Amino acid sequence: MGLSHLPMDIRGEYVKFSKERYLLDTPPEKLRKELEEELKRSSDDMSSHGWYHGLMPREVSETLVLRNGDFLIRDSLTSMGDYVLTSRWNHKVLHFVIGKVLEESGTFRPRVQYQLGRESFDSVAALIHFYVGSQKPLSQESGAHIYCPINRTLPLRILEAAFTVTLKQDPVSPLSSLRRTFIQKQGVALDDRPRTLLAMPHRLSSSMDQIQMIRSPLSPLGEYVPSTAYNTISHHRSPSATPVLPSEGYEEGYDVLEHSRGVFSVPLVEKESSFKPGQYRSLLMPAENKPLEASILKRVKELLTEVDARTAAWHITKADCMVARILNVSEEMRQKMAVSSGLELLTLPHGQQLRLDLWERFHTMSFMMAAELLGCTGSREERAAFLFKAILLASELKSSQGNMFGFATIMRALELRQVKRLEQTWITLRQKHTEGAILYEKKLKPYLKSMNEGSLEECMPSDTTFPHVVPLLSLLERGVAVGEEAELWEYTDMGVDVVMSHLETARTMAQHGEVYCSNAQTKLQGFQERPELLEIFLTEFQMRLLWGSRGVVASQTERYQKFDKVLTALSYKLEPPGGQRVERT
């Protein structure tokens, strides 16, 4: 899944027309189908790429790139035949001209090349893939990088008709005459535009319902959202803006200093983890404890055994959503984050500490589940029964809870090499719990694989409480956690496409934060928690259980390295290499 051919209903940014000017008469379903057909064209056709927006005015493009790394491609209206890459970096909107040049190729037909600075490419798509994949800056002076494409959600003909109306009704623009000339040369008649878009302000109120139907069926975005795609907005030229030399491939640009949406709140950059295991007071362990104390492990096993998988999944989902700031987020916390949801914070630079905390939780939970399997499960039959319980738990997290983060966490525990190598335990699972083995192999593993490959539909079903953020955490914060296998993007030919798919998914997650909050509240409505059971799924408790009250203060790298060795020793004790097996009683 690449930058082009993106499903239009839930990818990209929501497109909104100027309320004062336009009326949408064409049914949204027809527009969806038209866009889908447009995106299925040959990759050589610019219209097949979602990030291409055609005859978009500069002023409109600047309202779309909201975060560092956002970008889109539009036609240059000042240099006919060229394109412009509009992006945001260091909180400024930048415009880079992509020039079209002819080069001698040794044949009768010269080769068309697309230049950005000193780099040349066979196509604009190749240029985009290069800068996204290599993470090379677009220019040395700007240092700008591009990550996330802003994809159109309407066919080009609709957008260009709207832009044509805008350019015609903009007589004060010094470029309006040139722009009209260019549009007419492209075959778009100013007075012969399609009837889809009509300048009928007197019918505004009756038309807005139709316009709103274009929105994604999953989108919670309301009028307050700062994604002002294709809407009129006031800009002000910065008096101190430094002019950029045309030789660097820029268009002359300006900073956006004021926004019609109001004042921006400066976020608090968190420096410390929200987990305080050294200060944690537990119901199940003393003030000081050693790593993997047998009595505590036994109590955890009893709690996991005596409750059904759905009840355990409820408790995990509540703990996960509290850490991710999906549930119980105070107004004070929202002000500190400067966003309304932890899932939006995850995608922003000042969300690093939350990403690190979720990364810690992901590994710690999976380590605890593996430790319970390897260190406190008795006979092979008991291990197989615990394995079956873990599979049912993963299934409940995925299906009944919509908790893709929790699902991925339990699946990682089952996929750890120390667990996978227990051949006799897995054989016993197939013999004693055949339905569990089939569920794991035929449904859960393929589903996780699809999520890790970047399938948006798998990552975010409509009843999701906590989407699959693990790839984003790995992309942005992956450290040196021991025992981790290479990610898909590190060894497949489609690595760049997988990365881009995950980044696009992250954007959509951020936009749908309110939906996940609502889903989580609905799922947990009437849920009666058990304090002891909830505690074993708290990260501070798990950290203390695994590394003890003293060891928990060590660095993450040191803790993970030590525990990897512990799990390996436990695994080899249960099923030594060479066929000799030891049964625990």
Side-chain angles (χ1 to χ4, degrees):
M1 191 179 303
L3 291 173
S4 53
H5 308 116
L6 301 172
M8 67 76 53
D9 54 340
I10 51 178
R11 289 195 182 236
E13 296 284 339
Y14 158 51
V15 176
K16 182 170 65 177
F17 290 92
S18 170
K19 295 180 182 179
E20 293 77 14
R21 295 181 182 175
Y22 307 129
L23 168 67
L24 180 68
D25 288 337
T26 304
E29 184 58 34
K30 291 185 178 180
L31 296 179
R32 291 191 182 96
K33 291 181 179 179
E34 182 178 342
L35 177 62
E36 289 171 358
E37 292 301 316
E38 199 169 69
L39 296 177
K40 291 177 182 178
R41 296 173 183 171
S42 167
S43 60
D44 295 334
D45 188 334
M46 281 290 285
S47 66
S48 72
H49 301 284
W51 36 255
Y52 174 60
H53 293 252
L55 297 168
M56 173 183 287
R58 177 219 299 269
E59 294 79 6
V60 176
S61 70
E62 291 180 341
T63 69
L64 294 178
V65 287
L66 301 177
R67 302 184 180 96
N68 285 342
D70 287 0
F71 72 92
L72 57 84
I73 299 293
R74 59 186 175 85
D75 291 327
S76 173
L77 300 183
T78 61
S79 179
M80 291 179 287
D82 292 340
Y83 298 103
V84 177
L85 190 160
T86 297
S87 66
R88 180 177 289 273
W89 192 252
N90 286 337
H91 311 295
K92 292 184 179 180
V93 178
L94 303 174
H95 304 274
F96 299 85
V97 174
I98 301 174
K100 185 188 297 183
V101 298
L102 298 179
E103 292 186 356
E104 296 295 336
S105 60
T107 65
F108 291 106
R109 300 182 64 180
R111 182 176 61 174
V112 177
Q113 290 285 283
Y114 297 87
Q115 286 190 332
L116 180 58
R118 298 180 178 85
E119 301 286 352
S120 297
F121 302 89
D122 293 332
S123 66
V124 177
L127 181 150
I128 295 299
H129 276 276
F130 172 79
Y131 282 104
V132 171
S134 68
Q135 281 307 292
K136 184 176 179 179
L138 298 174
S139 75
Q140 293 301 318
E141 279 68 18
S142 69
H145 296 266
I146 55 174
Y147 307 117
C148 302
I150 302 297
N151 297 296
R152 68 183 187 275
T153 56
L154 288 172
L156 279 176
R157 73 173 182 87
I158 300 296
L159 301 182
E160 292 188 347
F163 299 147
T164 299
V165 174
T166 300
L167 297 179
K168 182 182 179 182
Q169 296 182 359
D170 188 17
V172 300
S173 170
L175 297 177
S176 59
S177 177
L178 176 59
R179 287 171 172 167
R180 284 197 296 271
T181 300
F182 173 61
I183 292 170
Q184 288 169 336
K185 287 184 177 180
Q186 295 295 311
V188 181
L190 290 170
D191 295 311
D192 250 344
R193 59 187 182 275
R195 288 192 67 255
T196 305
L197 298 170
L198 302 175
M200 297 180 64
H202 62 281
R203 292 185 58 187
L204 170 64
S205 59
S206 63
S207 68
M208 286 310 297
D209 291 340
Q210 289 179 289
I211 294 175
Q212 294 296 330
M213 290 177 66
I214 302 175
R215 297 167 63 178
S216 160
L218 296 180
S219 174
L221 303 183
E223 296 299 323
Y224 60 88
V225 174
S227 175
T228 54
Y230 309 137
N231 193 18
T232 304
I233 187 171
S234 297
H235 299 278
H236 300 264
R237 183 182 300 273
S238 169
S240 60
T242 303
V244 183
L245 296 177
S247 60
E248 277 300 322
Y250 292 92
E251 279 192 333
E252 183 184 358
Y254 48 81
D255 299 331
V256 179
L257 296 183
E258 296 184 13
H259 196 290
S260 61
R261 300 287 176 186
V263 180
F264 174 69
S265 176
V266 178
L268 174 69
V269 180
E270 299 173 47
K271 301 291 186 180
E272 296 182 354
S273 171
S274 62
F275 303 137
K276 310 292 183 186
Q279 305 171 14
Y280 180 68
R281 294 295 176 262
S282 169
L283 299 171
L284 300 174
M285 65 175 62
E288 293 189 6
N289 68 293
K290 297 178 181 179
L292 297 178
E293 281 195 10
S295 60
I296 305 175
L297 280 172
K298 181 179 180 182
R299 181 55 182 151
V300 172
K301 177 189 174 183
E302 290 173 352
L303 287 168
L304 289 173
T305 302
E306 67 188 34
V307 301
D308 60 279
R310 178 161 296 187
T311 300
W314 264 324
H315 284 79
I316 291 176
T317 297
K318 180 169 184 179
D320 284 343
C321 289
M322 288 192 299
V323 174
R325 304 177 193 178
I326 296 173
L327 285 176
N328 300 342
V329 183
S330 65
E331 184 59 34
E332 180 184 6
M333 177 58 71
R334 288 191 176 93
Q335 291 179 359
K336 289 180 178 179
M337 296 190 301
V339 292
S340 61
S341 167
L343 291 174
E344 185 173 0
L345 181 62
L346 286 177
T347 67
L348 300 174
H350 66 283
Q352 182 181 40
Q353 188 58 61
L354 179 58
R355 293 193 295 269
L356 292 173
D357 282 354
L358 285 172
W359 197 231
E360 176 79 78
R361 178 166 178 78
F362 175 70
H363 288 286
T364 302
M365 172 80 83
S366 61
F367 282 156
M368 187 196 77
M369 294 297 294
E372 288 295 332
L373 174 65
L374 298 172
C376 192
T377 52
S379 67
R380 186 193 310 159
E381 285 72 18
E382 288 180 282
R383 292 197 298 275
F386 188 88
L387 202 59
F388 178 47
K389 188 68 171 283
I391 291 170
L392 293 179
L393 178 57
S395 180
E396 287 291 340
L397 287 165
K398 165 187 168 290
S399 301
S400 69
Q401 297 297 309
N403 181 357
M404 301 305 153
F405 177 81
F407 166 67
T409 302
I410 303 301
M411 290 295 290
R412 182 182 183 275
L414 301 177
E415 291 291 301
L416 286 172
R417 67 179 189 279
Q418 294 93 339
V419 175
K420 289 170 66 175
R421 65 169 298 277
L422 299 178
E423 295 182 7
Q424 296 303 314
T425 301
W426 286 97
I427 289 174
T428 304
L429 174 75
R430 297 183 188 102
Q431 293 173 342
K432 302 290 186 179
H433 308 281
T434 306
E435 69 277 22
I438 294 174
L439 174 65
Y440 179 69
E441 294 291 342
K442 300 298 184 182
K443 291 187 177 180
L444 302 187
K445 284 180 66 176
Y447 193 89
L448 181 65
K449 181 176 182 293
S450 181
M451 287 202 307
N452 288 335
E453 289 174 348
S455 170
L456 190 67
E457 292 76 11
E458 305 293 7
C459 292
M460 296 185 297
S462 59
D463 62 347
T464 298
T465 58
F466 193 164
H468 188 46
V469 301
V470 176
L472 178 67
L473 301 179
S474 183
L475 275 167
L476 299 181
E477 305 298 345
R478 187 179 185 185
V480 289
V482 176
E484 289 195 288
E485 298 179 357
E487 299 285 7
L488 281 172
W489 55 80
E490 296 177 319
Y491 63 88
T492 64
D493 293 337
M494 299 296 290
V496 172
D497 290 336
V498 173
V499 168
M500 290 307 304
S501 180
H502 284 310
L503 291 175
E504 292 157 13
T505 299
R507 174 188 297 282
T508 307
M509 291 176 186
Q511 293 173 339
H512 292 74
E514 293 299 325
V515 169
Y516 305 126
C517 293
S518 176
N519 288 344
Q521 291 170 355
T522 301
K523 294 282 186 183
L524 296 172
Q525 189 173 15
F527 162 61
Q528 298 295 320
E529 67 185 56
R530 292 179 51 183
E532 284 190 340
L533 185 58
L534 181 63
E535 181 173 9
I536 69 175
F537 298 124
L538 298 181
T539 304
E540 289 98 333
F541 174 85
Q542 295 169 355
M543 294 173 74
R544 285 275 303 277
L545 172 65
L546 300 179
W547 293 289
S549 54
R550 297 184 180 180
V552 77
V553 299
S555 69
Q556 186 185 77
T557 300
E558 183 180 355
R559 287 187 286 113
Y560 287 4
Q561 287 176 343
K562 287 184 177 180
F563 207 77
D564 184 71
K565 294 177 182 178
V566 170
L567 291 179
T568 300
L570 291 173
S571 179
Y572 276 85
K573 185 176 181 180
L574 291 177
E575 293 190 18
Q580 184 180 1
R581 296 184 294 278
V582 176
E583 288 295 332
R584 295 175 58 114
T585 59

